[in-house]
Amino acid sequence: MLSHHESPAQFNLVQLGTRLRFLRTQRDWTLSDLAQRTGLSEAYLSRIESGDRQPSLAALFDLARTYHISMAALFEEEPLNRSVVVRQADATVYQGNGLLYRLLSSQGDGANLRPIHVTIPANRQNEHLYHHEGEEWLYVLSGQLRLTLGGEAFTLSPGEAAHFDARTAHRLDALNEQDTEILVVSCEASHILLRSYL
């Protein structure tokens, strides 16, 4: 969690450092081992892993090549050791923005994907459009959905899906005076630091 003394950039550097340390220790490599494999100094690698220094683009390429992963994978969070099963009886129903929703993952804020079961009441009294960072994918389970996306409206029936950039203003409405149930999977833009290089 971001502390009161950390800027977003510092927080992202610490997250990157944690990820890089995880990748190294997962392979049982010391900093010396990694330095020999990448040609980067131990001191430089140590400062990157501690979040004290922003690595150069060339250093990131060297690290990705050494770990045999993509550049984007360097910015993923390390796996979370939490329960992967969510029972219906354990899922709390929340209310917000005129919607009812249940979280379908126990991974919390540390996860990139956020699956949610959403019920859109037929009598929803909210006319606001929303936008945020990341992507959204939704799938209609029951009822009829009107998805307003930017200046366009789409009607979706059960079995139909939509995938869109969540920065586009959007809104969900139930049609035909019937509640609509959907699955929503959102993915926050977690690669802010990566985008700063590109």
Side-chain angles (χ1 to χ4, degrees), residues 55-80:
S56 67
L57 187 58
L60 290 176
F61 276 122
D62 287 338
L63 288 164
R65 186 191 71 244
T66 300
Y67 289 130
H68 302 290
I69 59 177
S70 68
M71 280 275 286
L74 290 177
F75 294 84
E76 293 177 358
E77 295 190 14
E78 62 184 270
L80 300 171

PDB file of all heavy atoms in Angstrom, residues 55-80:
ATOM      1  N   PRO A  55      15.761   1.662 -13.116  1.00  0.00           N
ATOM      2  CA  PRO A  55      16.681   1.053 -14.089  1.00  0.00           C
ATOM      3  C   PRO A  55      16.532   1.678 -15.464  1.00  0.00           C
ATOM      4  O   PRO A  55      15.477   2.194 -15.826  1.00  0.00           O
ATOM      5  CB  PRO A  55      16.246  -0.415 -14.107  1.00  0.00           C
ATOM      6  CG  PRO A  55      14.805  -0.383 -13.697  1.00  0.00           C
ATOM      7  CD  PRO A  55      14.684   0.751 -12.724  1.00  0.00           C
ATOM      8  N   SER A  56      17.605   1.611 -16.215  1.00  0.00           N
ATOM      9  CA  SER A  56      17.558   2.094 -17.593  1.00  0.00           C
ATOM     10  C   SER A  56      16.789   1.096 -18.443  1.00  0.00           C
ATOM     11  O   SER A  56      16.589  -0.058 -18.058  1.00  0.00           O
ATOM     12  CB  SER A  56      18.981   2.250 -18.143  1.00  0.00           C
ATOM     13  OG  SER A  56      19.585   0.968 -18.267  1.00  0.00           O
ATOM     14  N   LEU A  57      16.382   1.549 -19.606  1.00  0.00           N
ATOM     15  CA  LEU A  57      15.675   0.659 -20.522  1.00  0.00           C
ATOM     16  C   LEU A  57      16.581  -0.492 -20.937  1.00  0.00           C
ATOM     17  O   LEU A  57      16.147  -1.648 -21.021  1.00  0.00           O
ATOM     18  CB  LEU A  57      15.213   1.450 -21.751  1.00  0.00           C
ATOM     19  CG  LEU A  57      14.317   0.721 -22.747  1.00  0.00           C
ATOM     20  CD1 LEU A  57      13.056   0.211 -22.065  1.00  0.00           C
ATOM     21  CD2 LEU A  57      13.947   1.645 -23.909  1.00  0.00           C
ATOM     22  N   ALA A  58      17.871  -0.210 -21.144  1.00  0.00           N
ATOM     23  CA  ALA A  58      18.822  -1.256 -21.534  1.00  0.00           C
ATOM     24  C   ALA A  58      18.943  -2.306 -20.429  1.00  0.00           C
ATOM     25  O   ALA A  58      19.012  -3.507 -20.702  1.00  0.00           O
ATOM     26  CB  ALA A  58      20.189  -0.640 -21.827  1.00  0.00           C
ATOM     27  N   ALA A  59      18.943  -1.849 -19.161  1.00  0.00           N
ATOM     28  CA  ALA A  59      19.037  -2.788 -18.046  1.00  0.00           C
ATOM     29  C   ALA A  59      17.799  -3.686 -17.989  1.00  0.00           C
ATOM     30  O   ALA A  59      17.900  -4.887 -17.717  1.00  0.00           O
ATOM     31  CB  ALA A  59      19.203  -2.024 -16.736  1.00  0.00           C
ATOM     32  N   LEU A  60      16.631  -3.108 -18.240  1.00  0.00           N
ATOM     33  CA  LEU A  60      15.406  -3.908 -18.243  1.00  0.00           C
ATOM     34  C   LEU A  60      15.434  -4.956 -19.355  1.00  0.00           C
ATOM     35  O   LEU A  60      14.996  -6.093 -19.155  1.00  0.00           O
ATOM     36  CB  LEU A  60      14.187  -3.002 -18.393  1.00  0.00           C
ATOM     37  CG  LEU A  60      13.857  -2.117 -17.193  1.00  0.00           C
ATOM     38  CD1 LEU A  60      12.687  -1.195 -17.516  1.00  0.00           C
ATOM     39  CD2 LEU A  60      13.536  -2.958 -15.967  1.00  0.00           C
ATOM     40  N   PHE A  61      15.936  -4.578 -20.530  1.00  0.00           N
ATOM     41  CA  PHE A  61      16.067  -5.555 -21.617  1.00  0.00           C
ATOM     42  C   PHE A  61      16.996  -6.688 -21.201  1.00  0.00           C
ATOM     43  O   PHE A  61      16.710  -7.871 -21.442  1.00  0.00           O
ATOM     44  CB  PHE A  61      16.594  -4.888 -22.892  1.00  0.00           C
ATOM     45  CG  PHE A  61      15.535  -4.237 -23.731  1.00  0.00           C
ATOM     46  CD1 PHE A  61      15.606  -2.891 -24.032  1.00  0.00           C
ATOM     47  CD2 PHE A  61      14.467  -4.970 -24.238  1.00  0.00           C
ATOM     48  CE1 PHE A  61      14.622  -2.280 -24.804  1.00  0.00           C
ATOM     49  CE2 PHE A  61      13.480  -4.370 -25.007  1.00  0.00           C
ATOM     50  CZ  PHE A  61      13.572  -3.022 -25.296  1.00  0.00           C
ATOM     51  N   ASP A  62      18.124  -6.342 -20.561  1.00  0.00           N
ATOM     52  CA  ASP A  62      19.072  -7.367 -20.116  1.00  0.00           C
ATOM     53  C   ASP A  62      18.436  -8.302 -19.095  1.00  0.00           C
ATOM     54  O   ASP A  62      18.617  -9.520 -19.136  1.00  0.00           O
ATOM     55  CB  ASP A  62      20.311  -6.701 -19.501  1.00  0.00           C
ATOM     56  CG  ASP A  62      21.207  -6.050 -20.551  1.00  0.00           C
ATOM     57  OD1 ASP A  62      21.115  -6.451 -21.727  1.00  0.00           O
ATOM     58  OD2 ASP A  62      21.986  -5.152 -20.175  1.00  0.00           O
ATOM     59  N   LEU A  63      17.681  -7.726 -18.146  1.00  0.00           N
ATOM     60  CA  LEU A  63      17.031  -8.542 -17.116  1.00  0.00           C
ATOM     61  C   LEU A  63      15.969  -9.452 -17.719  1.00  0.00           C
ATOM     62  O   LEU A  63      15.878 -10.635 -17.375  1.00  0.00           O
ATOM     63  CB  LEU A  63      16.426  -7.637 -16.045  1.00  0.00           C
ATOM     64  CG  LEU A  63      17.441  -6.950 -15.126  1.00  0.00           C
ATOM     65  CD1 LEU A  63      16.802  -5.792 -14.375  1.00  0.00           C
ATOM     66  CD2 LEU A  63      18.030  -7.971 -14.150  1.00  0.00           C
ATOM     67  N   ALA A  64      15.143  -8.905 -18.615  1.00  0.00           N
ATOM     68  CA  ALA A  64      14.102  -9.722 -19.247  1.00  0.00           C
ATOM     69  C   ALA A  64      14.724 -10.863 -20.046  1.00  0.00           C
ATOM     70  O   ALA A  64      14.241 -12.003 -20.001  1.00  0.00           O
ATOM     71  CB  ALA A  64      13.229  -8.843 -20.145  1.00  0.00           C
ATOM     72  N   ARG A  65      15.793 -10.567 -20.765  1.00  0.00           N
ATOM     73  CA  ARG A  65      16.460 -11.606 -21.555  1.00  0.00           C
ATOM     74  C   ARG A  65      17.048 -12.678 -20.636  1.00  0.00           C
ATOM     75  O   ARG A  65      16.932 -13.875 -20.888  1.00  0.00           O
ATOM     76  CB  ARG A  65      17.572 -10.975 -22.396  1.00  0.00           C
ATOM     77  CG  ARG A  65      18.237 -11.962 -23.376  1.00  0.00           C
ATOM     78  CD  ARG A  65      19.487 -11.406 -24.008  1.00  0.00           C
ATOM     79  NE  ARG A  65      20.559 -11.322 -23.009  1.00  0.00           N
ATOM     80  CZ  ARG A  65      21.113 -10.180 -22.597  1.00  0.00           C
ATOM     81  NH1 ARG A  65      20.708  -9.030 -23.076  1.00  0.00           N
ATOM     82  NH2 ARG A  65      22.074 -10.190 -21.689  1.00  0.00           N
ATOM     83  N   THR A  66      17.660 -12.257 -19.546  1.00  0.00           N
ATOM     84  CA  THR A  66      18.275 -13.196 -18.613  1.00  0.00           C
ATOM     85  C   THR A  66      17.241 -14.105 -17.956  1.00  0.00           C
ATOM     86  O   THR A  66      17.476 -15.301 -17.764  1.00  0.00           O
ATOM     87  CB  THR A  66      19.052 -12.418 -17.523  1.00  0.00           C
ATOM     88  OG1 THR A  66      20.072 -11.633 -18.160  1.00  0.00           O
ATOM     89  CG2 THR A  66      19.688 -13.357 -16.522  1.00  0.00           C
ATOM     90  N   TYR A  67      16.077 -13.530 -17.627  1.00  0.00           N
ATOM     91  CA  TYR A  67      15.016 -14.320 -16.992  1.00  0.00           C
ATOM     92  C   TYR A  67      14.141 -15.049 -18.015  1.00  0.00           C
ATOM     93  O   TYR A  67      13.221 -15.778 -17.637  1.00  0.00           O
ATOM     94  CB  TYR A  67      14.145 -13.423 -16.121  1.00  0.00           C
ATOM     95  CG  TYR A  67      14.828 -12.930 -14.862  1.00  0.00           C
ATOM     96  CD1 TYR A  67      14.820 -11.590 -14.520  1.00  0.00           C
ATOM     97  CD2 TYR A  67      15.485 -13.822 -14.014  1.00  0.00           C
ATOM     98  CE1 TYR A  67      15.436 -11.138 -13.358  1.00  0.00           C
ATOM     99  CE2 TYR A  67      16.111 -13.384 -12.857  1.00  0.00           C
ATOM    100  CZ  TYR A  67      16.082 -12.037 -12.535  1.00  0.00           C
ATOM    101  OH  TYR A  67      16.690 -11.609 -11.389  1.00  0.00           O
ATOM    102  N   HIS A  68      14.391 -14.815 -19.304  1.00  0.00           N
ATOM    103  CA  HIS A  68      13.608 -15.447 -20.385  1.00  0.00           C
ATOM    104  C   HIS A  68      12.122 -15.119 -20.266  1.00  0.00           C
ATOM    105  O   HIS A  68      11.262 -16.006 -20.391  1.00  0.00           O
ATOM    106  CB  HIS A  68      13.817 -16.969 -20.402  1.00  0.00           C
ATOM    107  CG  HIS A  68      15.243 -17.383 -20.565  1.00  0.00           C
ATOM    108  ND1 HIS A  68      15.938 -17.213 -21.750  1.00  0.00           N
ATOM    109  CD2 HIS A  68      16.121 -17.924 -19.677  1.00  0.00           C
ATOM    110  CE1 HIS A  68      17.179 -17.652 -21.597  1.00  0.00           C
ATOM    111  NE2 HIS A  68      17.317 -18.085 -20.344  1.00  0.00           N
ATOM    112  N   ILE A  69      11.830 -13.855 -19.998  1.00  0.00           N
ATOM    113  CA  ILE A  69      10.446 -13.398 -19.931  1.00  0.00           C
ATOM    114  C   ILE A  69      10.318 -12.105 -20.727  1.00  0.00           C
ATOM    115  O   ILE A  69      11.316 -11.507 -21.135  1.00  0.00           O
ATOM    116  CB  ILE A  69       9.992 -13.154 -18.467  1.00  0.00           C
ATOM    117  CG1 ILE A  69      10.877 -12.106 -17.798  1.00  0.00           C
ATOM    118  CG2 ILE A  69       9.994 -14.454 -17.673  1.00  0.00           C
ATOM    119  CD1 ILE A  69      10.438 -11.757 -16.385  1.00  0.00           C
ATOM    120  N   SER A  70       9.079 -11.659 -20.955  1.00  0.00           N
ATOM    121  CA  SER A  70       8.853 -10.412 -21.674  1.00  0.00           C
ATOM    122  C   SER A  70       9.135  -9.219 -20.780  1.00  0.00           C
ATOM    123  O   SER A  70       9.185  -9.335 -19.549  1.00  0.00           O
ATOM    124  CB  SER A  70       7.407 -10.340 -22.168  1.00  0.00           C
ATOM    125  OG  SER A  70       6.532 -10.223 -21.057  1.00  0.00           O
ATOM    126  N   MET A  71       9.314  -8.064 -21.395  1.00  0.00           N
ATOM    127  CA  MET A  71       9.502  -6.838 -20.622  1.00  0.00           C
ATOM    128  C   MET A  71       8.305  -6.599 -19.708  1.00  0.00           C
ATOM    129  O   MET A  71       8.456  -6.239 -18.539  1.00  0.00           O
ATOM    130  CB  MET A  71       9.670  -5.648 -21.566  1.00  0.00           C
ATOM    131  CG  MET A  71      11.058  -5.516 -22.150  1.00  0.00           C
ATOM    132  SD  MET A  71      12.153  -4.619 -21.049  1.00  0.00           S
ATOM    133  CE  MET A  71      11.536  -2.955 -21.259  1.00  0.00           C
ATOM    134  N   ALA A  72       7.103  -6.794 -20.234  1.00  0.00           N
ATOM    135  CA  ALA A  72       5.899  -6.548 -19.428  1.00  0.00           C
ATOM    136  C   ALA A  72       5.860  -7.446 -18.202  1.00  0.00           C
ATOM    137  O   ALA A  72       5.394  -7.031 -17.136  1.00  0.00           O
ATOM    138  CB  ALA A  72       4.650  -6.753 -20.277  1.00  0.00           C
ATOM    139  N   ALA A  73       6.371  -8.681 -18.330  1.00  0.00           N
ATOM    140  CA  ALA A  73       6.340  -9.614 -17.207  1.00  0.00           C
ATOM    141  C   ALA A  73       7.224  -9.161 -16.050  1.00  0.00           C
ATOM    142  O   ALA A  73       7.027  -9.586 -14.914  1.00  0.00           O
ATOM    143  CB  ALA A  73       6.757 -11.010 -17.665  1.00  0.00           C
ATOM    144  N   LEU A  74       8.191  -8.279 -16.327  1.00  0.00           N
ATOM    145  CA  LEU A  74       9.019  -7.737 -15.247  1.00  0.00           C
ATOM    146  C   LEU A  74       8.189  -6.899 -14.282  1.00  0.00           C
ATOM    147  O   LEU A  74       8.571  -6.712 -13.129  1.00  0.00           O
ATOM    148  CB  LEU A  74      10.142  -6.864 -15.813  1.00  0.00           C
ATOM    149  CG  LEU A  74      11.271  -7.555 -16.571  1.00  0.00           C
ATOM    150  CD1 LEU A  74      12.238  -6.511 -17.116  1.00  0.00           C
ATOM    151  CD2 LEU A  74      12.008  -8.538 -15.677  1.00  0.00           C
ATOM    152  N   PHE A  75       7.065  -6.382 -14.761  1.00  0.00           N
ATOM    153  CA  PHE A  75       6.261  -5.458 -13.963  1.00  0.00           C
ATOM    154  C   PHE A  75       5.061  -6.137 -13.302  1.00  0.00           C
ATOM    155  O   PHE A  75       4.263  -5.486 -12.656  1.00  0.00           O
ATOM    156  CB  PHE A  75       5.793  -4.280 -14.831  1.00  0.00           C
ATOM    157  CG  PHE A  75       6.932  -3.412 -15.281  1.00  0.00           C
ATOM    158  CD1 PHE A  75       7.671  -3.746 -16.394  1.00  0.00           C
ATOM    159  CD2 PHE A  75       7.274  -2.286 -14.567  1.00  0.00           C
ATOM    160  CE1 PHE A  75       8.739  -2.955 -16.799  1.00  0.00           C
ATOM    161  CE2 PHE A  75       8.335  -1.483 -14.965  1.00  0.00           C
ATOM    162  CZ  PHE A  75       9.076  -1.820 -16.084  1.00  0.00           C
ATOM    163  N   GLU A  76       4.950  -7.452 -13.479  1.00  0.00           N
ATOM    164  CA  GLU A  76       3.870  -8.167 -12.815  1.00  0.00           C
ATOM    165  C   GLU A  76       4.212  -8.322 -11.342  1.00  0.00           C
ATOM    166  O   GLU A  76       5.382  -8.357 -10.956  1.00  0.00           O
ATOM    167  CB  GLU A  76       3.669  -9.544 -13.448  1.00  0.00           C
ATOM    168  CG  GLU A  76       3.158  -9.470 -14.879  1.00  0.00           C
ATOM    169  CD  GLU A  76       3.044 -10.840 -15.510  1.00  0.00           C
ATOM    170  OE1 GLU A  76       3.403 -11.835 -14.842  1.00  0.00           O
ATOM    171  OE2 GLU A  76       2.616 -10.918 -16.668  1.00  0.00           O
ATOM    172  N   GLU A  77       3.170  -8.432 -10.507  1.00  0.00           N
ATOM    173  CA  GLU A  77       3.411  -8.648  -9.089  1.00  0.00           C
ATOM    174  C   GLU A  77       3.702 -10.113  -8.837  1.00  0.00           C
ATOM    175  O   GLU A  77       3.279 -10.986  -9.585  1.00  0.00           O
ATOM    176  CB  GLU A  77       2.199  -8.193  -8.267  1.00  0.00           C
ATOM    177  CG  GLU A  77       1.964  -6.698  -8.359  1.00  0.00           C
ATOM    178  CD  GLU A  77       0.925  -6.228  -7.358  1.00  0.00           C
ATOM    179  OE1 GLU A  77       0.599  -7.006  -6.445  1.00  0.00           O
ATOM    180  OE2 GLU A  77       0.471  -5.099  -7.494  1.00  0.00           O
ATOM    181  N   GLU A  78       4.445 -10.374  -7.758  1.00  0.00           N
ATOM    182  CA  GLU A  78       4.745 -11.753  -7.422  1.00  0.00           C
ATOM    183  C   GLU A  78       3.464 -12.476  -7.010  1.00  0.00           C
ATOM    184  O   GLU A  78       2.505 -11.845  -6.562  1.00  0.00           O
ATOM    185  CB  GLU A  78       5.771 -11.825  -6.301  1.00  0.00           C
ATOM    186  CG  GLU A  78       5.323 -11.217  -5.001  1.00  0.00           C
ATOM    187  CD  GLU A  78       6.420 -11.230  -3.965  1.00  0.00           C
ATOM    188  OE1 GLU A  78       6.498 -12.224  -3.230  1.00  0.00           O
ATOM    189  OE2 GLU A  78       7.170 -10.254  -3.898  1.00  0.00           O
ATOM    190  N   PRO A  79       3.419 -13.788  -7.185  1.00  0.00           N
ATOM    191  CA  PRO A  79       2.198 -14.537  -6.851  1.00  0.00           C
ATOM    192  C   PRO A  79       1.783 -14.326  -5.397  1.00  0.00           C
ATOM    193  O   PRO A  79       2.615 -14.195  -4.510  1.00  0.00           O
ATOM    194  CB  PRO A  79       2.610 -15.995  -7.103  1.00  0.00           C
ATOM    195  CG  PRO A  79       3.750 -15.910  -8.056  1.00  0.00           C
ATOM    196  CD  PRO A  79       4.465 -14.636  -7.727  1.00  0.00           C
ATOM    197  N   LEU A  80       0.485 -14.293  -5.178  1.00  0.00           N
ATOM    198  CA  LEU A  80      -0.048 -14.114  -3.836  1.00  0.00           C
ATOM    199  C   LEU A  80      -0.421 -15.470  -3.244  1.00  0.00           C
ATOM    200  O   LEU A  80      -1.017 -16.303  -3.918  1.00  0.00           O
ATOM    201  CB  LEU A  80      -1.292 -13.222  -3.877  1.00  0.00           C
ATOM    202  CG  LEU A  80      -1.065 -11.819  -4.427  1.00  0.00           C
ATOM    203  CD1 LEU A  80      -2.402 -11.136  -4.625  1.00  0.00           C
ATOM    204  CD2 LEU A  80      -0.186 -11.014  -3.503  1.00  0.00           C
TER     205      LEU A  80
END
